[in-house]
Amino acid sequence: MQAIVLVGGEGTRLRPLTYGTPKPMVPIVNVPFLARTIERLYDAGIRDVIFPAGYMPEAIVEYFGDGSRFDMRITYVIEETPLGTAGALKNVAHHITGAFFVLNGDVLTSLDLRAMLAYHRAKGGLGTLHLIEVEDPSAFGCVVHDADGRIASFVETPPRGQEPTNAINAGTYLLEPAVLEAIPAGRNVSIERETFPALLADGRRLYAYTTQDYWIDLGRPEHYLAAHRDVLSGAMPLALEPGLSGAGAAALRGHPGVTLPVHAGEDVRVDASAKIGPNVVLGRGCSIGPRATVRDSVLWERVEVGAEASLDEAIVASGTSIGARAQVGRGSVIGHDVRVPAGAVLEPGSRVGAAGR
Ligand code: GTP
């Protein structure tokens, strides 16, 4: 069984983080998200993975190589210009040998891929799409199906209040190779907007596989932080110790300023008078100065937080320093290698960091 993981998007909504790190390599609790996806594929028995890439592919190639470190075979196909979610599949068609999974590279879910495969085989359609029911489907692609699961129509981002269903396309597909024949070559094609509707119009059978799994699209800063809260609380199972976890946890045990849950990477230093947590992830080599406070935030590697600085619901990329007494407004996102000056006050929702990092 093969899987294609779509990893070529620019991740514009996660800028400035994605100026320095392509979205699939953004860490989820200190491990690149794509590595967690690879682990999930491995657990489902998949050993042959194709990455259609295009944006900063070198970061992905450098980490995964040929896949042998993960006991997998990983094939890269680099797009010179973005081909879209279906065009990217067409572009790797020569590597496909049978039915295959397609995963959006930015979906964190507990979906059981083996169960989805069994469902797909039982239904015998041309494709099976994983669906999730959400409270507000207006920002997503809604999928309408009959009682047998056969998909009747797709409605992309319907106006609020006019959604035909709460079931949305959750970004994992299981497709027969014949789907590839329906995708035009050599241009940008969207699978959700173009290919799936065209297959339906042609009378082909696509099935919905609706589950109650944990599911979140990491593509926006607020979702990224929510995913971390959910992993730390155990709502999204990722095999972490409850409460205090990570290679650097020992250094924080018994620390009077720690409010759990907290995850700490190797070599973190937290001053005895600092306050950390709840819902904080510190990457390898982070240091937190005297009387600084960090809550509901994710700090990547080697982030320095100066004395009396404060962060709340912030995401800070690697190598950045937050000066003493700086106040980082709630919901701020700070890119790689930024120097936030001492005493700076960042408005809530600030984005700091430039392209080329
Ligand atoms: P935004 O710019 O913030 O919308 O993010 P994005 O560029 O990643 O787009 P989106 O979230 O819609 O993409 C869904 C998935 O498809 C992600 O895993 C992307 O990496 C991937 N993707 C999107 N466009 C392309 C493309 O043209 N080629 C390839 N290979 N992958 C793509």
Side-chain angles (χ1 to χ4, degrees):
M1 190 87 194
Q2 295 173 297
I4 302 174
V5 186
L6 294 167
V7 296
E10 280 193 39
T12 53
R13 291 165 299 163
L14 275 188
R15 286 177 184 165
L17 302 172
T18 45
Y19 284 139
T21 301
K23 186 161 67 170
M25 297 305 286
V26 159
I28 293 293
V29 194
N30 288 347
V31 174
F33 175 61
L34 193 52
R36 301 210 177 268
T37 302
I38 283 290
E39 221 171 87
R40 215 156 58 81
L41 291 169
Y42 187 90
D43 289 346
I46 293 164
R47 299 287 181 273
D48 190 352
V49 179
I50 300 160
F51 288 158
Y55 178 70
M56 300 184 80
E58 57 292 339
I60 301 173
V61 176
E62 195 183 311
Y63 189 90
F64 291 98
D66 63 2
S68 49
R69 192 157 66 89
F70 303 85
D71 193 16
M72 294 268 214
R73 192 171 79 160
I74 296 179
T75 306
Y76 303 85
V77 180
I78 313 291
E79 293 158 36
E80 272 170 28
T81 55
L83 291 171
T85 45
L89 305 184
K90 184 73 173 182
N91 198 42
V92 304
H94 55 290
H95 291 293
I96 297 299
T97 55
F100 58 98
F101 277 104
V102 178
L103 277 66
N104 270 2
D106 56 358
V107 165
L108 180 66
T109 178
S110 56
L111 169 69
D112 178 345
L113 295 169
R114 287 183 198 268
M116 183 164 167
L117 175 58
Y119 177 91
H120 175 75
R121 292 208 169 124
K123 290 294 181 189
L126 195 64
T128 297
L129 283 65
H130 178 220
L131 307 192
I132 282 283
E133 287 167 348
V134 296
E135 259 173 48
D136 177 11
S138 62
F140 298 97
C142 291
V143 184
V144 181
H145 60 82
D146 68 13
D148 187 41
R150 184 164 173 182
I151 295 175
S153 63
F154 295 91
V155 185
E156 279 295 320
T157 56
R160 199 175 284 225
Q162 292 175 35
E163 304 91 347
T165 165
N166 282 358
I168 61 153
N169 175 351
T172 302
Y173 319 124
L174 184 39
L175 306 177
E176 294 297 328
V179 168
L180 299 168
E181 291 159 23
I183 304 171
R187 68 167 172 88
N188 190 299
V189 186
S190 157
I191 197 160
E192 49 277 52
R193 291 171 195 273
E194 209 173 321
T195 308
F196 288 148
L199 289 170
L200 287 192
D202 212 23
R204 312 301 291 265
R205 283 186 299 138
L206 298 176
Y207 284 91
Y209 180 60
T210 309
T211 73
Q212 311 296 317
D213 281 289
Y214 180 87
W215 180 88
I216 197 164
D217 160 1
L218 298 165
R220 297 174 192 211
E222 58 274 26
H223 293 175
Y224 179 76
L225 286 176
H228 278 84
R229 278 197 300 275
D230 293 339
V231 170
L232 292 178
S233 73
M236 165 66 204
L238 265 192
L240 296 180
E241 293 290 316
L244 185 60
S245 57
L252 296 183
R253 207 150 280 136
H255 188 298
V258 169
T259 307
L260 301 177
V262 166
H263 182 95
E266 270 172 287
D267 301 327
V268 299
R269 280 167 295 136
V270 178
D271 187 89
S273 60
K275 288 197 171 7
I276 302 290
N279 303 311
V280 165
V281 174
L282 302 178
R284 179 156 48 102
C286 282
S287 76
I288 314 293
R291 296 173 302 286
T293 60
V294 182
R295 53 180 304 146
D296 293 303
S297 296
V298 178
L299 277 49
W300 297 5
E301 296 186 355
R302 295 169 286 102
V303 173
E304 289 181 15
V305 177
E308 294 173 33
S310 65
L311 290 93
D312 188 7
E313 294 182 19
I315 308 169
V316 185
S318 299
T320 282
S321 67
I322 311 291
R325 299 178 312 286
Q327 295 171 33
V328 176
R330 179 174 289 194
S332 293
V333 182
I334 306 179
H336 296 70
D337 302 317
V338 173
R339 301 278 162 265
V340 175
V345 177
L346 301 188
E347 295 296 315
S350 293
R351 300 277 179 275
V352 187
R357 288 282 177 191

